[in-house]
Amino acid sequence: MTMVKHGNFKTCAQSGFCARNRAYADLATSQASSWNPPYSLAPESIVFKNGQLEGTILKRVGVGGEMVRLPLVVTFLESGTARVTIDEEKRQKGDIELRHGSKARKERYNEAASWAIVGGLEVSVTAAVNKQTEKGATRVLYGPSNKFEAVIRHHPFSMEFNRDGQTQVMFGDRGLLNMEHWRPKIEKKEVEGEEKADDTKATEDEGTWWEESFGGNTDSKPRGPESVALDISFPGYEHVFGIPEHATSLSLKETRGGSGNYEEPYRLYNADVFEYEVNSPMTLYGSIPFMQAHRKDSTVGVFWLNGAETWIDVVKSRSSPNPLALGVEAAVTTQTHWISESGQLDVFVFLGPSPMDVSKAYGELTGYTQLPQHFAIAYHQCRWNYVSVEDVKDVDRKFDKHKIPYDIIWLDIEYTDGKKYFTWDPLTFGDPLSMQKQLTKNERKLVAIIDPHIKNEGGYRVVDELKSKDLAVKNKEGNIFEGWCWPGSSYWVDCFNPAAREWWKSLFRYDNWKGATSNMFIWNDMNEPSVFNGPETTMPKDNLHHGNWEHRDVHNIYGLTYHNATHHALIERKKGEVQRPFVLTRAFFAGSQRVGAMWTGDNEAKWEHLAQAFPMILANGIAGYPFAGADVGGFFGNPEKDLLTRWYQAGAFYPFFRGHAHIDTRRREPYLMGEPYTSIVTQALRLRYQLLPAWYTAFHEASVMGAPILRPHYYEFPGDERGFALDDQFFVGSTGLLAKPVVTEGADKVDIYIPDEENYYDYFDYTKYSGAGTKSIRAPLEKIPLLMRGGHIIPRRDRPRRSSGLMKWDPFTLVIVLNKAGNAEGTLYLDDGESFDYQAGAFIHRRFVFSQTSSSLVSENLAEAAGAKTAAYLKKMKKVRVEKIIIIGVGGEWVGRRVASIDEEGKQRKAKVAYHRSAGGKTAWAVIRDPGVAIGNSWKIELA
Ligand code: NOJ
């Protein structure tokens, strides 16, 4: 039986700073109203100027009145987001001593923003101090029309963020702010019988201040204790979401015990967690410290910008609201407690009010999803490993023989010469070009894996350069850090170093990596980083990175720096070649969405892992990183055929859709499954290919406004409380497609929740479902429960092809799903799917509107202005037409409709209309055949 080795990973109690902060919270809670937090904002220090409030927080330490100075900056951004940073003056000035002769930096880490943030930092020019003053507090009006208000309380220091006269977010209302200030280590003389001289620290447990050991590794902690923690409460909010990556429910459970709750906080410490378990707050491969809170018709969010190990406790209080909260009636309040090992305190607050507003504002800061290539959102075929050029060619041929579509075949680590990246195994992959040539015939691509550990072997060019150019991560002594990974003894490239990033680029150049072509893309794995013999399978925290930052400070960012370097390397493989990069990553941080896709790592071929994937993908989407998927089939183990079939049906709804398997598993390519499985899986794959135009449109929305691709119910129906915790059904972009793939063994029906009074139709047979509530849908093995909500128009391409590249010039089908009033609307975004020409206007962006009153379908241009490449692109697309329009849910007036009149850019034409009456619960529908209109043109189709 497989099982995660709990003992390899710390619990909060085994992680000094987490335990200390939890103990602090317990102490505060036990003292209740007599708790006197030691942090005060000195009123005379407060200055408000140009959208920014500055001041000094004083932390009272000991009994002698000693104060630690903590500079505070609250910035009100133009976007309506507020940012709060707290630093520590002594460390800022470098006025501290490091222990053990360490070469580490003295400041609290202050460069996380340079990795996570790419925009949205314009400071508000309208934010102003509220004239209605209140004793002991400073109030600032900000946000759209200055409707938001931040209340900064001086003693004890705390903050509230208000919207609409109501408190939405509170900082420090439980008094858990904690910045462990620098102090010298006082070596205690152990004199027997003598009383301790200073008893003021009697309550503090120094046991983990100066050194910590775990799993045979001792962390030297040259700066002593330096954690940063804050309680953040959401008064009136029962649900919180986000903070991936955890194998847990979408609506986050409580973490301080109690029935059905966790005992441990959610941990964010990127790690290679072997055989991870479902339903757990344990850390996984990536971390995005961004959380949304949602209540009826209101969403808010916080982004805790910190790259160090972080733990988050979540509790829900059902008592009466905090006395400081404005306008909040007695309801559930979610209280969270954020605890990081080091770094500045740096938090962003988003006041919504809709989930899309929060996504957009978060994306303005951290960037939006990279617009992927067409092939990247099609189906990927992977396993560890396709063993030779011949094997790859054979798999490729077999997909064709069985008429199963796929776009990309993947090479895992065995393609290399002895796990030396940028080489090919001479015996098995001696002729990589012939393999890529065969793939290219059907517009297919290759992806090869490149990991950040570089084999320590004499004569290997890459390691020789890494060493001679001094570009690797260092150990605490400042020498090159050596550890173990797939190749055995290895070094790790340090992509915090700009010179390392430049060098990394050079390795991907075609003249350097012989055998790579422009049809080959990259998979970055093990970038947590995974170090087999390191503490918790990663690097020691006292390792040093570029600029002498300790690994402790940047651990969760390392994976992003590496992924980012590969992304940029692919853009510059050859002078003059311009194509979008594709890089998959396992480790991630806030901002990773800008540079490629992620997947959820080593899951298992078990039903519970199939079920776990959707909540994880949804959580990622909420946290701004929607290009996500899970290994279809499950990585470890051999899935039963039913499980594999259901997994393909689910995978057809993963934004990143890839089959993958461990080296010890049996082959499981869809054509090996036998009937009826092979056919059913082929149908699922074809469904994905048919809907690629809708998926691509959803990706485009993600790339310009941060919209999740799989949308949880609360995004689409923020007022419907019954949908808030749903995480096994979801909408696909704005298409109105509502899916609930089967994820349980032996199910032949599913209960799907319909949130509103609109009509919904079965995607495949047009069975009608109406009225809000739970509907039972038949779901035998061959069926994917998928509904279309009335009111939407879904773009499709219906011709089955071998790859998405071969669909480039295929005609479109528009599916018009009428709402109760007989209207529908939808959008389509389309471009060449591979270059950056869309940035010069080479794209088609249409809105289709069907109106009952005018009995017409209109295609309108949504592109704001033409760019340099618009005309040429539209000319190329002139021949790409709409071949079929299906109208679902039509009324009696359609019975006699035989002809549609078409007006396309001044030219008139007629097309035939066919009517299909309703029968056996299935709605009536009509088809306009071959209207012949170009997909990129403006046109109108009228029905007499
Ligand atoms: C770990 C990855 O999670 C897995 O997908 C991959 O197959 C192995 N590393 C080997 O590279």
Side-chain angles (χ1 to χ4, degrees), residues 376 380 410 582 584 597-599 627-630 654-658 688:
H380 301 250
W410 290 52
F582 171 82
L584 178 75
M598 62 71 69
W599 95 108
F627 197 4
Y654 295 170
F656 172 64
F657 182 17
R658 183 185 75 156
R688 172 64 169 231

Side-chain angles (χ1 to χ4, degrees), residues 384 412-413 449 486 523 525-526 586 599 601-602 631 635 658 660:
W384 180 13
D412 208 325
I413 49 176
I449 198 167
W486 300 125
W523 171 14
D525 186 18
M526 314 297 278
R586 193 171 71 174
W599 95 108
D602 299 348
D631 283 348
F635 180 67
R658 183 185 75 156
H660 184 41

Side-chain angles (χ1 to χ4, degrees), residues 158-175:
S158 70
M159 291 185 74
E160 288 128 50
F161 298 86
N162 305 331
R163 173 189 14 94
D164 309 326
Q166 260 194 20
T167 302
Q168 314 288 343
V169 181
M170 308 177 86
F171 280 8
D173 66 299
R174 292 189 288 154

Side-chain angles (χ1 to χ4, degrees), residues 101-172:
S102 164
K103 298 183 178 64
R105 286 282 276 269
K106 294 180 170 174
E107 304 99 303
R108 287 180 172 272
Y109 184 60
N110 54 17
E111 293 182 1
S114 69
W115 289 101
I117 308 264
V118 289
L121 290 178
E122 299 74 33
V123 176
S124 164
V125 289
T126 49
V129 172
N130 191 345
K131 297 275 165 355
Q132 291 178 342
T133 46
E134 179 190 328
K135 206 168 168 295
T138 308
R139 310 175 78 104
V140 179
L141 298 171
Y142 72 105
S145 320
N146 273 6
K147 279 198 186 125
F148 299 166
E149 186 189 40
V151 184
I152 300 133
R153 296 194 189 280
H154 306 163
H155 180 74
F157 170 75
S158 70
M159 291 185 74
E160 288 128 50
F161 298 86
N162 305 331
R163 173 189 14 94
D164 309 326
Q166 260 194 20
T167 302
Q168 314 288 343
V169 181
M170 308 177 86
F171 280 8

Side-chain angles (χ1 to χ4, degrees), residues 118 363 366-377 521-522 560 563-564 566-568 570-571 578-585 591-598 624-628 655-656 695-707 709 829 831 833-836 838-839:
V118 289
T366 61
Y368 297 124
T369 296
Q370 180 213 343
L371 187 63
Q373 301 92 333
H374 286 161
F375 75 76
I377 66 170
F521 298 87
I522 300 298
L560 163 61
H563 186 203
N564 170 70
T566 309
H567 167 98
H568 287 288
L570 286 196
I571 297 178
V578 187
Q579 57 170 9
R580 294 179 218 173
F582 171 82
V583 190
L584 178 75
T585 184
S592 294
Q593 70 272 11
R594 303 187 302 262
V595 287
M598 62 71 69
Y625 199 176
F627 197 4
F656 172 64
W695 283 97
Y696 197 59
T697 304
F699 269 90
H700 175 254
E701 282 172 23
S703 76
V704 295
M705 54 190 274
I709 290 163
Y829 175 85
D831 59 24
E834 55 190 4
S835 77
F836 288 100
Y838 67 92
Q839 291 170 353

